[in-house]
Amino acid sequence: MPLRDLALGLAVIVIWALNIIVIKLGVAELPPLLLTTLRFALVAGLLVPFHPVARHQLPFLLLLSVTFGSLHFALLFIGLGQAEAGTGALLVQMGTPFATLLAVVFLRERLGPRRLAGLVLSFAGVAVLAGGPTLPSPLPTFLLLASALGWAVSQLLIKRGPDVSPMALAGWVALFATPQVALGSWWFEQGQWQALADAGWAGWGAVFYTAVMSSIVAYGLWYGLLRRHPVNRVVPLTLLMPVLAVLLGAALMGDSLGPHKLAGGGLVIAGLALIVLRLGPRRPAG
């Protein structure tokens, strides 16, 4: 990978790691479902007018808005409001093992000893995290793991669904998810108008960052890298995201770096590496 593209890939990882911190700051000023609603509305407003889709693709995008929009993002925002940034980032990474299991069950993909070992290490890492003081209470832990499962189901749907460009998919999923999450905010949250009036740079900055930087800019750069390079050269960069999120949480949010988080996080990342890395002899150039 040329140095320029490597730098772009690392920039995307930094944006996504900072996204965890930004969400934490945002939900301190805005209720999480309200923040998610505003994020989706901004993404939809910026993307949908410029990325039309065919009518037959709309049912698929509506289904994806439930699994990817309401389940993954809404539960992520709620869970991160009650968890340390680094621990939350590690739990959400369990989407990769979940996606692997779903592919084995529903797509009949072969697991193999290396990926099986990766699954065992990943779940062992969560068990180690559970034995330490940084794991949040059972409800936010469940919400973050459910968010990871929502991401995994969405990847399965995208793999089997119609071909939709990444920006069109992001925009239309956001459009369909906006009323779903808004209804959830109206039903479960209180004081939304007062929160909007009182929100400062952290709240409104979180709306902008999560919508524009994390969703549009980062994913635009990421899919550009995937078009130019083999997947197995690009995807391993994502292993750096939870590491950076843990370090940023400690540096910026004062999160602890105890032995349980370091050991459990190390096991999770090692398991992810076994799942996503493609090991084998290098092909000769030419």
Side-chain angles (χ1 to χ4, degrees), residues 257-278:
L257 280 178
H260 283 86
K261 179 183 285 187
L262 293 175
L267 287 172
V268 169
I269 294 167
L272 295 178
L274 288 175
I275 293 171
V276 305
L277 293 180
R278 295 292 180 261

Side-chain angles (χ1 to χ4, degrees), residues 16 21 37 41 43 50 58 61-62 75 77-78 90 130 132 146 156 182-184 226 236 250 257 275 277:
W16 283 340
I21 307 298
T37 302
V43 171
F50 307 101
L58 294 179
L61 293 168
L62 179 59
L75 296 183
F77 279 48
I78 297 172
L90 289 168
L156 195 71
L183 181 62
L226 288 174
L257 280 178
I275 293 171
L277 293 180

Side-chain angles (χ1 to χ4, degrees), residues 106-271:
F106 293 103
L107 302 183
R108 305 299 182 188
E109 290 189 4
R110 181 176 174 272
L111 190 57
R114 179 171 55 83
R115 297 171 74 195
L116 178 60
L119 290 175
V120 172
L121 284 178
S122 299
F123 286 102
V126 172
V128 172
L129 286 172
T134 64
L135 197 72
S137 61
L139 179 58
T141 297
F142 170 79
L143 293 177
L144 288 168
L145 290 175
S147 170
L149 181 61
W151 180 89
V153 172
S154 301
Q155 302 314 301
L156 195 71
L157 292 174
I158 292 171
K159 191 170 185 178
R160 298 300 297 268
D163 185 21
V164 182
S165 71
M167 291 296 101
L169 188 146
W172 286 86
V173 164
L175 179 67
F176 288 138
T178 298
Q180 300 172 34
V181 185
L183 181 62
S185 177
W186 174 76
W187 189 265
F188 294 108
E189 296 175 338
Q190 297 178 342
Q192 290 92 330
W193 292 114
Q194 189 62 46
L196 290 173
D198 295 341
W201 67 268
W204 292 110
V207 174
F208 174 84
Y209 189 95
T210 58
V212 176
M213 295 302 297
S214 180
S215 291
I216 298 176
V217 173
Y219 275 103
L221 292 173
W222 188 253
Y223 286 112
L225 291 174
L226 288 174
R227 284 194 298 269
R228 295 192 295 273
H229 301 285
V231 172
N232 61 1
R233 292 187 184 179
V234 178
V235 170
L237 291 174
T238 60
L239 296 173
L240 297 174
M241 198 283 284
V243 177
L244 187 56
V246 169
L247 295 177
L248 288 173
L252 302 178
M253 308 291 291
D255 292 351
S256 62
L257 280 178
H260 283 86
K261 179 183 285 187
L262 293 175
L267 287 172
V268 169
I269 294 167

Side-chain angles (χ1 to χ4, degrees), residues 60-88:
F60 163 71
L61 293 168
L62 179 59
L63 175 61
L64 201 59
S65 73
V66 176
T67 61
F68 201 39
S70 296
L71 289 181
H72 172 58
F73 280 106
L75 296 183
L76 172 65
F77 279 48
I78 297 172
L80 283 177
Q82 305 174 58
E84 287 189 355
T87 305

